[in-house]
Amino acid sequence: MKKTCIFQDTENIEKTKDLLEVAERMYGQGQFQSHAVLLEASSHCLHGSFHHIIRVAEGLVDAYDPRGISDVLENLHQRNRFDSILIPATSLGKMIAPRLAKRLGTGLSAGVTDVKRQKNRIEIIRPACSGKILEVIHHRGAGPVMMSIRPDAFEYRSRGGLQTQILEYTKPVTSRSTVQRLHVEENKLSYDIRESRVLISGGGGVKDDFPELFRLADALNGSVAASRKLVDQGIAPRSIQVGQSGKTVSPSLYMALGVHGTMQHIAGLRNIETIISVNRADNAPICSLSDIVVQGDAAEFIDRLMEKISIYRSEKKES
Ligand SMILES: Cc1cc2nc3c(=O)[nH]c(=O)nc-3n(C[C@H](O)[C@H](O)[C@H](O)COP(=O)(O)OP(=O)(O)OC[C@H]3O[C@@H](n4cnc5c(N)ncnc54)[C@H](O)[C@@H]3O)c2cc1C
């Protein structure tokens, strides 16, 4: 029987439960023992889905400390000899996975979006070059198969009904944390991009000017959306991401500023009346979908358009 260990990101436990689907694709239903490793949060929603829930004792390690968490996972692997270790590719997961792989002397497939079993080989699939190509990886060597997995790439339909054993991990961690949480800031964006008639959408090309989009959106009575690039970089919240793993939007006007228009982004655009794209490169895929293409710098475009809007408004007032 294979053994898989799944680290649960406390930010979204329901979602990381989906990683069970990865184990099922690798080993087949009922062919593996699942271990969930959990810090601080309630394990209730995992009961019946996992064979073992390993709760890290309170106060042993901070939930945002990748070194301490890697210590815990390394120790657990030494005790249990897992065949695979699966970590969600969240901000925290992306800090833990490479550290742990190095400590265990095994390879890491990072940002995995698909897993297949072909005869006796496991094919691990991940996008590369900003999603333009897909890599197929075969794991070799004696170490555990280690993957970090993109959120929303898999969906697990829990059949439940397992006898879950709850264990407590109490071994003190040896690594000292170099991270200190100073304060927590709430996400203040409460609108739903699916309801906006005008969307000003920002991508990698406006990563340094993202706040400017809100100025333009205000002036046009619209809302701001973003590509996944800005979400992954922590510049925009996930709630405003357009695309395959974000939201599908159908505004009257979609203004894509510094958005390349990969297929995963375009997957979120439906029945849009007018698309305007502003891009330095006129051969970006979004341009071929657009009604109007402006070739140039997006931040400069915003400045110039804001000027025009303010001139138009003052002329309108006067007349
Ligand atoms: C399973 C999976 C799901 C995904 N889901 C999504 C999703 O839901 N949504 C999504 O968006 N992506 C998604 N992606 C990621 C997607 O593949 C791309 O990586 C991402 O969309 C790229 O974002 P971008 O176009 O903003 O950035 P980039 O690829 O960095 O493109 C930036 C663009 O801006 C232009 N540019 C650069 N500087 C300027 C400037 N100063 N002014 C104007 N233009 C400029 C460049 O020419 C380029 O075209 C997914 C990927 C995978 C594998």
Side-chain angles (χ1 to χ4, degrees), residues 127 203-204 227-229 241-245 258 260 264-265 279 297-298:
S227 74
R228 174 151 162 184
K229 182 95 169 224
Q241 180 189 316
V242 171
Q244 181 186 318
S245 52
H260 193 66
Q264 293 90 356
H265 185 85
N279 204 299
D297 178 63

Side-chain angles (χ1 to χ4, degrees), residues 166-226:
I166 314 270
L167 305 159
E168 197 170 25
Y169 180 95
T170 52
K171 188 171 179 213
V173 297
T174 48
S175 295
R176 293 255 308 274
S177 173
T178 51
V179 183
Q180 195 186 352
R181 178 152 51 187
L182 298 178
H183 70 278
V184 176
E185 207 164 302
E186 288 293 318
N187 170 16
K188 296 185 188 76
L189 298 180
S190 56
Y191 57 84
D192 187 341
I193 52 171
R194 291 168 295 197
E195 290 166 8
S196 291
R197 304 306 301 146
V198 173
L199 273 183
I200 311 299
S201 185
V206 292
K207 66 177 185 339
D208 299 323
D209 307 288
F210 190 61
E212 294 300 299
L213 273 64
F214 290 89
R215 231 167 30 103
L216 183 57
D218 274 353
L220 296 176
N221 234 340
S223 310
V224 172

Side-chain angles (χ1 to χ4, degrees), residues 99-291:
R99 257 192 187 87
L100 183 62
K102 182 163 184 299
R103 287 191 192 187
L104 300 181
T106 190
L108 168 71
S109 301
V112 171
T113 54
D114 202 2
V115 171
K116 292 178 186 159
R117 197 171 178 95
Q118 300 285 13
K119 297 193 181 130
N120 280 330
R121 281 221 301 199
I122 295 166
E123 289 191 345
I124 301 169
I125 296 159
R126 67 179 292 273
C129 302
S130 300
K132 292 179 189 87
I133 58 165
L134 292 175
E135 285 177 359
V136 180
I137 299 165
H138 297 283
H139 178 84
R140 285 199 306 205
V145 177
M146 258 201 79
M147 296 180 217
S148 67
I149 291 148
R150 288 222 186 173
D152 295 319
F154 294 87
E155 192 179 359
Y156 181 69
R157 297 222 172 145
S158 178
R159 283 165 285 277
L162 291 181
Q163 284 282 357
T164 302
Q165 188 188 13
I166 314 270
L167 305 159
E168 197 170 25
Y169 180 95
T170 52
K171 188 171 179 213
V173 297
T174 48
S175 295
R176 293 255 308 274
S177 173
T178 51
V179 183
Q180 195 186 352
R181 178 152 51 187
L182 298 178
H183 70 278
V184 176
E185 207 164 302
E186 288 293 318
N187 170 16
K188 296 185 188 76
L189 298 180
S190 56
Y191 57 84
D192 187 341
I193 52 171
R194 291 168 295 197
E195 290 166 8
S196 291
R197 304 306 301 146
V198 173
L199 273 183
I200 311 299
S201 185
V206 292
K207 66 177 185 339
D208 299 323
D209 307 288
F210 190 61
E212 294 300 299
L213 273 64
F214 290 89
R215 231 167 30 103
L216 183 57
D218 274 353
L220 296 176
N221 234 340
S223 310
V224 172
S227 74
R228 174 151 162 184
K229 182 95 169 224
L230 296 192
V231 173
D232 285 350
Q233 291 180 351
I235 295 168
R238 194 162 294 281
S239 61
I240 64 167
Q241 180 189 316
V242 171
Q244 181 186 318
S245 52
K247 290 182 176 145
T248 300
V249 294
S250 307
S252 308
L253 172 63
Y254 189 75
M255 206 181 272
L257 306 178
V259 174
H260 193 66
T262 52
M263 59 186 174
Q264 293 90 356
H265 185 85
I266 288 168
L269 306 181
R270 293 269 157 79
N271 304 325
I272 297 178
E273 279 168 35
T274 308
I275 300 180
I276 300 177
S277 58
V278 183
N279 204 299
R280 273 203 176 138
D282 64 355
N283 62 352
I286 190 81
C287 299
S288 56
L289 281 184
S290 303
D291 301 277

